[in-house]
């Protein structure tokens, strides 16, 4: 068991995190001095060969820097909003991760990726209905009983028309956090995507949202394709996303971590230098 | 069926191009949306990218005849694709082992067998090739011309964790067998 290092220097109100999914020790060594926390996606470091489990070689990479950074988990495949069942395989991976690493908290996307046991191939946003809210709240409660650290949910971008519902997007999140006590991740890039793709009024959303449960902020950069801004973290952070992130940092009173997310598949095209430059830029903003 | 189940099942059918055209106003709106095209395109793009990496030779072979993207889409529509890339790749290759193109079937069978062998499966596999598999692999690796079918020889390949170097291949005259064990493919 490793992680959750004792305070090794000056305490900061706001910590900087980055995605790291393994297999690139040169990158790890370069970013580890620029950040406080590594974001681990359990599904992204898992393999199914010889049983579904976490890759031991990547866990060893994390162990090698455990005296220098903390760890948080951020899942992709739990499918907390599926009508039938969430993905129990993800929970098994999370169990394994908790048994190996001390995590400051864990989080998931507020989405449905599995329908009737079938992978949708996308992250579907949920209808803002009482039925969906009750389903997710019950599962959040179960997660909070199962694991001894805070649980956070992140809103996802929406590409499809919004299904009819009784809550606004912010109202749905407010009800979710007030009923369960769970935390929130705000993703500045996702909000920019929603603004570009279907005209989300980000200022109105933030004005309605209870920002007290927001513990983590995600920033990323992506591409436009056929008129859509895509949730594919493959670019440096655009200026408008950066400005929005600064605005949220100033408004969310309990924000603790800012995470720069990039896809493992995009590391080659981004380049180590660009990733480190983004982390340095963010580090300066949060006073690191 | 709850409203949530109906909504999620309806979206799955639309994304995977299944079922009858929707009568419901919301599903009709989704069906005609640019967002649906984009969701489907992204889902296929991710799977194509994963299969391209994991199924190196089969994907290269299929791209030569412009079949790759169509087969990935057909596979996605008809199967409950796994989120684990190894399972996705094995399932995809398995569906191609009955392909009408014998070279595609053999190449997919070869890559499938190699994945199983690397996963320490106790199973061993026999793959019949209508041409020299070494030359096929080299051509796919170097993106050069594929060898033509061999008029005189059939190539019998055995792949498994228990096979020395995982792969053995012998060739047989089409009328009678000749013991001619070849070196394993590197």
């Amino acid at each position: 068991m490793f992680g959750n290092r004792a305070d090794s220097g000056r305490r900061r109100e706001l910590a900087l995190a980055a995605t790291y999914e393994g297999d690139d020790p040169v990158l790890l060594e370069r970013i580890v001095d620029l950040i406080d926390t590594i974001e681990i996606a359990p599904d992204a470091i898992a393999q199914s060969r010889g049983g579904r489990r976490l890759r031991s070689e990547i866990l060893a990479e994390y162990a090698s820097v455990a005296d220098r950074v903390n760890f948080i988990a951020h899942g992709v495949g739990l499918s907390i909003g599926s009508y039938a069942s969430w993905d129990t395989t993800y929970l098994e991976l999370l169990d394994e991760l908790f048994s190996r690493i001390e995590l400051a908290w864990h989080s998931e996307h507020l989405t449905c990726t599995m329908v009737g046991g079938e992978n949708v191939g996308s992250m579907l946003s949920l209808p803002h209905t009482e039925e969906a809210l009750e389903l997710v709240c019950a599962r959040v409660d179960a997660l909070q009983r199962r694991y001894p650290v805070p649980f956070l949910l992140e809103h996802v971008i929406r590409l499809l028309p919004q299904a009819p519902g009784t809550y606004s997007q912010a109202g749905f999140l407010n009800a979710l956090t007030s009923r369960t006590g769970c935390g929130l991740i705000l993703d500045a890039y996702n909000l920019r995507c929603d603004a570009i793709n279907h005209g989300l009024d980000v200022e109105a959303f933030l004005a309605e949202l209870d920002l007290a449960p927001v513990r983590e902020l995600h920033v990323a950069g992506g591409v436009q394709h056929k008129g859509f801004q895509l949730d594919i973290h493959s670019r440096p952070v655009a200026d408008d996303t950066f400005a929005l992130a600064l605005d949220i940092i100033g408004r969310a009173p309990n924000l603790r971590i800012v995470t720069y997310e990039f896809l493992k598949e995009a590391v080659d095209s981004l380049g180590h230098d660009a990733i480190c430059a983004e982390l340095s830029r963010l580090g300066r903003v949060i006073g690191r | 069926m709850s409203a949530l189940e109906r909504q999620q099942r309806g979206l799955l059918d639309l994304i995977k191009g299944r079922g009858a055209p929707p009568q419901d106003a919301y599903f009709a709106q989704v069906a005609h949306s640019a967002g649906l095209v984009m969701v489907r395109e992204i889902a296929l793009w991710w799977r194509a990218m994963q299969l391209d990496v994991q199924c190196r030779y089969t994907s290269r072979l299929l791209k030569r005849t412009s079949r790759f993207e169509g087969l990935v889409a057909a596979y996605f529509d008809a199967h409950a694709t796994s989120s684990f890339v190894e399972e996705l790749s094995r399932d995809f290759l398995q569906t191609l082992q009955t392909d009408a193109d014998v070279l595609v079937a053999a190449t997919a069978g070869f890559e499938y067998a190699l994945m199983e062998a690397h996963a320490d499966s106790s199973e061993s596999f026999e793959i019949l090739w209508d041409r020299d598999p070494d030359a096929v692999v080299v051509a796919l690796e170097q993106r050069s011309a594929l060898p033509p079918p061999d008029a005189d020889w059939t190539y019998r390949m055995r792949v498994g964790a228990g096979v020395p170097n995982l792969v053995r291949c012998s060739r047989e005259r089409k009328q009678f067998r000749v013991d001619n064990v070849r070196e394993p493919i590197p």
Side-chain angles (χ1 to χ4, degrees), chain A residues 202-240:
Chain A
V202 176
E203 181 50 45
F205 168 81
L206 290 176
E208 184 185 355
L209 186 70
D210 177 7
L211 293 169
V214 176
R215 306 284 296 275
E216 186 176 345
L217 172 66
H218 285 179
V219 290
V223 293
Q224 275 208 7
H225 180 59
K226 296 182 180 174
F228 285 94
Q229 190 74 33
L230 300 182
D231 185 19
I232 294 176
H233 303 153
S234 57
R235 293 284 190 277
V237 182
D239 289 345
D240 52 9

Side-chain angles (χ1 to χ4, degrees), chain B residues 41 47 56 59 61-62 66 74 106 116 136 148 170 185:
Chain B
E41 188 174 327
R47 275 139 198 85
R56 179 185 180 90
S59 61
L61 180 60
L62 291 171
S66 303
E116 289 292 303
V136 172
S170 61
I185 294 170

Side-chain angles (χ1 to χ4, degrees), chain A residues 218-286:
Chain A
H218 285 179
V219 290
V223 293
Q224 275 208 7
H225 180 59
K226 296 182 180 174
F228 285 94
Q229 190 74 33
L230 300 182
D231 185 19
I232 294 176
H233 303 153
S234 57
R235 293 284 190 277
V237 182
D239 289 345
D240 52 9
T241 305
F242 204 85
L244 177 57
L246 288 179
D247 181 34
I248 293 169
I249 288 170
R251 294 166 68 166
N254 298 311
L255 185 68
R256 288 293 174 269
I257 294 183
V258 176
T259 304
Y260 175 49
E261 294 192 309
F262 50 90
L263 281 174
K264 184 177 187 176
E265 292 81 355
V267 168
D268 284 347
S269 61
L270 264 171
H272 291 182
D273 289 344
I275 291 168
C276 291
E278 285 300 82
L279 290 171
S280 297
R281 179 163 72 136
L282 286 164
R284 286 193 296 274
V285 163
I286 66 170

Side-chain angles (χ1 to χ4, degrees), chain A residues 47-49 52 81-83 112 118-122 127 131 159-163 225-226 228 263 265, chain B residues 2-5 7-9 15-16 18 26 29 35-36 38 41 43 47 76 79 81 83-84 86-87 119:
Chain A
Q47 64 180 16
S48 63
R49 180 188 302 174
R52 293 173 171 183
S82 286
Y83 75 87
C112 162
E118 185 164 356
N119 195 317
V120 181
S122 185
E131 181 193 7
L159 291 172
L160 300 176
Q162 180 63 40
H225 180 59
K226 296 182 180 174
F228 285 94
L263 281 174
E265 292 81 355
Chain B
S2 73
L4 188 62
E5 177 176 358
Q7 192 249 4
Q8 292 178 349
R9 284 192 178 278
I15 292 167
K16 295 217 167 192
R18 300 170 183 165
Y26 171 66
Q29 184 190 5
L36 178 65
M38 187 53 55
E41 188 174 327
R47 275 139 198 85
F76 175 72
H79 295 80
T81 56
S83 54
F84 285 85
E86 303 101 321
E87 294 175 8

Side-chain angles (χ1 to χ4, degrees), chain A residues 19-229:
Chain A
T19 318
Y20 180 71
E21 296 177 359
D23 300 318
D24 194 345
V26 174
L27 175 64
L28 178 62
E29 194 51 43
R30 286 195 64 181
I31 66 173
V32 78
D33 287 331
L34 300 172
I35 60 175
D36 308 286
T37 300
I38 288 178
E39 178 197 81
I40 302 172
D43 357 36
I45 62 164
Q47 64 180 16
S48 63
R49 180 188 302 174
R52 293 173 171 183
R53 57 190 164 79
L54 302 177
R55 288 176 55 198
S56 56
E57 62 272 29
I58 298 180
L59 292 175
E61 285 192 70
Y62 294 140
S64 73
V65 294
D67 59 338
R68 298 153 77 184
V69 290
N70 292 320
F71 299 93
I72 53 177
H74 184 51
V76 175
L78 177 60
S79 199
I80 198 167
S82 286
Y83 75 87
S85 168
W86 55 12
D87 188 344
T88 54
T89 299
Y90 175 78
L91 293 178
E92 290 163 13
L93 295 174
L94 199 52
D95 288 344
E96 184 184 357
L97 190 63
F98 268 100
S99 75
R100 301 289 297 274
I101 301 179
E102 285 189 43
L103 301 166
W105 61 60
H106 73 113
S107 59
E108 246 296 345
H109 296 84
L110 180 58
T111 185
C112 162
T113 58
M114 304 281 289
V115 175
E118 185 164 356
N119 195 317
V120 181
S122 185
M123 287 185 172
L124 300 179
S125 57
L126 302 182
H128 299 143
T129 61
E130 191 61 35
E131 181 193 7
L133 184 60
E134 286 178 6
L135 177 94
V136 174
C137 284
R139 289 177 177 167
V140 170
D141 288 341
L143 286 170
Q144 292 184 140
R145 287 192 299 272
R146 185 177 179 122
Y147 301 108
V149 299
F151 175 66
L152 283 58
L153 276 169
E154 178 190 352
H155 58 104
V156 297
I157 79 161
R158 176 166 68 77
L159 291 172
L160 300 176
Q162 180 63 40
T166 49
Y167 291 88
S168 65
Q169 184 176 357
F172 190 83
L173 295 173
N174 288 343
L176 181 55
T177 53
S178 67
R179 288 187 195 183
T180 65
C182 78
L184 280 183
I185 296 174
L186 273 189
D187 189 314
Y189 180 63
N190 286 1
L191 292 175
R192 285 297 304 151
C193 288
D194 280 346
I196 292 165
N197 295 341
H198 56 87
L200 172 72
D201 183 338
V202 176
E203 181 50 45
F205 168 81
L206 290 176
E208 184 185 355
L209 186 70
D210 177 7
L211 293 169
V214 176
R215 306 284 296 275
E216 186 176 345
L217 172 66
H218 285 179
V219 290
V223 293
Q224 275 208 7
H225 180 59
K226 296 182 180 174
F228 285 94
Q229 190 74 33

Side-chain angles (χ1 to χ4, degrees), chain B residues 16 40 44 67-78 92:
Chain B
K16 295 217 167 192
R40 183 173 164 79
L44 294 177
R67 294 181 65 205
F68 181 62
E69 290 185 358
L71 283 169
V72 172
Y75 174 75
F76 175 72
D77 290 345
F92 178 68

